[in-house]
Amino acid sequence: MEAKINALREQMEAALAAVHSQEELAAFWQSYLGKKGSIAGLMKELGAVAKEDRPAMGKVINQFKVYAEERYQQVREEMDKQELAARNQSEQVDITMPAVKRPVGSLHPITIVKDQMIDVFAGMGFEIYEGPEIEDDDHNFTRLNVAKNHPARDMQDTFYVAEDIVLRTHTSPGQIRVMDAEKPPIKVLVPGRVFRSDSDATHSPMFHQMEGLVVDKKITLCDLQGMLDQFVKKIFGDGVKTRLRPSYFPFTEPSVEVDVSCFECGGKGCGLCKGTGWIEVLGGGIVHHKVLENCGIDPNEYSGLAFGIGIERIAMLKYGINNIGLLYENDLRFLKQFKD
Ligand code: DAH
């Protein structure tokens, strides 16, 4: 038996020396250490050994088995090491080689301005809410105090999807959705796409608005002016001032139009401000008590302020863009000018 083991040891070493691949290594395992391999064969032959010699013989075979396993492991580790070295070699990167420049895009001016606006208001504690673009008449008009046949419906040329279903004409329906879902204090921004049947150099059938709504105790027009004053300073520069002019919106009372002092001429009067020194930037006001009531909020306890800002309008003023169509053509020569 011992002679057999010695012969097997030599044979095994020769076989190991010839192993050069994972497949060959697996085959080696099969033929020596596998269930039907040579070492298992030796175990079977134990039966024929004299009973008193069996324990000693068994021990020798076992030792040989442990040895064979160790050798297998060594070869395997060596092979793994070599494979890794070969892979590292073949995947070596020349870090001194000049890199291929990949063109990097930039944010769209609408996105840049929208993000800036959100930043300013987020700093004041506003949260973001986004409502649906397809709205029902109720949210888009009626509960905002614009009843059927109300002349104010003519202020916005509406796209109808079905009877009583519209493409939202403004982000104001977001106010209703937020007040339905939450109790005051409320402080939200509703950015999003809006749609109107209107198209010229400064109007597009699809554009973006940013609604603001604050509902709490003792909210006044002063809060509105304070917030918007901060807003325009952050967007147009510290030098600008705001002015509120009386206006009309069905969902606010009083309603105001907010003007910013002309950042082009400093208020002296120029082409941009049409000689007035002021530029109209947005609408807002104190939330109409009927709108609060429509959302189950007691106007004797709470009051609110609201505003709606046209994002394209702000972007066009900020960047001196004179045609709204440029914002939607995706002409790279135009878009490349707005790297942050
Ligand atoms: N929804 C108005 C529009 O699209 C803008 C607006 C005005 C929104 C006054 C308001 C507001 O929240 O208080 O013309």
Side-chain angles (χ1 to χ4, degrees), residues 58-105:
K59 201 172 165 194
V60 174
I61 296 174
N62 255 330
Q63 277 168 350
F64 179 60
K65 186 179 176 201
V66 169
Y67 167 78
E69 280 169 352
E70 272 170 17
R71 291 289 294 122
Y72 165 82
Q73 202 55 35
Q74 280 167 1
V75 171
R76 193 181 147 157
E77 277 166 20
E78 183 58 28
M79 204 140 102
D80 285 350
K81 232 199 250 167
Q82 278 171 7
E83 271 175 18
L84 184 65
R87 207 171 111 194
N88 284 344
Q89 182 68 25
S90 73
E91 291 178 5
Q92 219 170 42
V93 178
D94 178 359
I95 56 165
T96 63
M97 215 159 88
V100 181
K101 275 229 168 75
R102 293 180 196 280
V104 178

Side-chain angles (χ1 to χ4, degrees), residues 156 169-172 175 196 209 211-212 249 251-252 256 283-285 306-309:
Q156 302 176 349
T169 55
H170 49 179
T171 42
S172 303
Q175 292 188 27
R196 289 183 202 178
Q209 283 188 337
E211 193 81 10
F249 297 103
F251 27 88
T252 41
V256 295
F307 53 86
I309 312 174

Side-chain angles (χ1 to χ4, degrees), residues 77-268:
E77 277 166 20
E78 183 58 28
M79 204 140 102
D80 285 350
K81 232 199 250 167
Q82 278 171 7
E83 271 175 18
L84 184 65
R87 207 171 111 194
N88 284 344
Q89 182 68 25
S90 73
E91 291 178 5
Q92 219 170 42
V93 178
D94 178 359
I95 56 165
T96 63
M97 215 159 88
V100 181
K101 275 229 168 75
R102 293 180 196 280
V104 178
S106 55
L107 292 179
H108 191 278
I110 298 283
T111 307
I112 295 175
V113 170
K114 183 178 102 179
D115 288 352
Q116 278 178 357
M117 290 167 70
I118 288 176
D119 265 6
V120 175
F121 287 111
M124 299 180 199
F126 281 77
E127 288 175 40
I128 306 283
Y129 169 82
E130 283 179 275
E133 291 174 357
I134 298 176
E135 263 298 4
D136 52 44
D137 191 278
D138 232 31
H139 286 86
N140 197 79
F141 292 124
T142 312
R143 292 175 69 197
L144 283 164
N145 198 31
V146 192
K148 287 244 161 81
N149 305 321
H150 192 293
R153 290 212 178 192
D154 297 341
M155 284 166 78
Q156 302 176 349
D157 298 305
T158 311
F159 286 118
Y160 279 85
V161 177
E163 205 185 331
D164 289 341
I165 304 290
V166 302
L167 296 186
R168 67 176 173 194
T169 55
H170 49 179
T171 42
S172 303
Q175 292 188 27
I176 303 294
R177 292 190 175 270
V178 170
M179 286 191 279
D180 276 350
E182 283 178 40
K183 293 198 165 22
I186 290 171
K187 211 169 186 187
V188 289
L189 276 188
V190 188
R193 286 198 288 186
V194 300
F195 307 85
R196 289 183 202 178
S197 178
D198 199 358
S199 184
D200 59 32
T202 53
H203 296 87
S204 150
M206 185 283 299
F207 62 106
H208 299 76
Q209 283 188 337
M210 176 101 61
E211 193 81 10
L213 173 71
V214 179
V215 184
D216 205 342
K217 289 181 175 156
K218 301 199 175 85
I219 294 293
T220 70
L221 219 46
C222 293
D223 298 305
L224 178 73
Q225 180 156 26
M227 283 176 182
L228 295 178
D229 206 60
Q230 279 303 307
F231 164 69
V232 296
K233 283 190 165 64
K234 290 268 165 48
I235 299 289
F236 297 112
D238 275 339
V240 298
K241 289 186 294 201
T242 46
R243 162 177 100 167
L244 303 188
R245 266 184 304 113
S247 183
Y248 172 75
F249 297 103
F251 27 88
T252 41
E253 180 57 40
S255 300
V256 295
E257 211 75 64
V258 180
D259 294 343
V260 50
S261 57
C262 184
F263 39 84
E264 193 75 17
C265 63
K268 287 200 275 303

